[in-house]
Amino acid sequence: EVLQVAPNPTADSWTVTFAPIVGIDRLVVTDLSGKTWRDLVVKGQQAIVIPTTDLASGMYVLQAFSGNKLVDSVKVARQ
């Protein structure tokens, strides 16, 4: 498991931590229909806080990329 997200579900923000050895440089948050809500450059970081107050309640998918390669994905919930 490359990504760790807490709290899940959340009302305010997700704190995402990831293994630096994998070389993650981008995180993408999409809803279940595939619409992109966040596209974040995280190169060189090991953790990031993603605010969720502007997102509708429901399920989202957090995807981690190294270059164009999908490394991991996690379902996350917004209350």
Side-chain angles (χ1 to χ4, degrees), residues 1 9-10 15 23-24 26 28 32 35-37 39 44 46 48 52-53 60-62 64 67 69 71 74 76 79:
E1 185 174 280
T10 190
T15 299
I24 293 172
R26 191 166 63 110
V28 177
L32 295 183
K35 179 179 179 181
T36 299
W37 288 91
D39 193 336
Q46 294 179 20
I48 188 170
T52 62
T53 53
Y60 293 85
V61 178
L62 175 63
K69 181 182 176 187
V71 176
V74 176
V76 290
Q79 293 177 324

Side-chain angles (χ1 to χ4, degrees), residues 2-3 22-30 61-74:
V2 175
L3 294 175
V22 180
I24 293 172
D25 52 20
R26 191 166 63 110
L27 295 176
V28 177
V29 177
T30 64
V61 178
L62 175 63
Q63 300 172 313
F65 290 88
S66 178
N68 290 325
K69 181 182 176 187
L70 177 64
V71 176
D72 196 8
S73 65
V74 176

Side-chain angles (χ1 to χ4, degrees), residues 10-11 14 31 52-60 76-79:
T10 190
W14 294 301
D31 59 24
T52 62
T53 53
D54 63 323
L55 300 177
S57 296
M59 294 296 296
Y60 293 85
V76 290
R78 163 77 166 90
Q79 293 177 324

Side-chain angles (χ1 to χ4, degrees), residues 5-16:
V5 182
N8 187 19
T10 190
D12 300 318
S13 64
W14 294 301
T15 299
V16 182

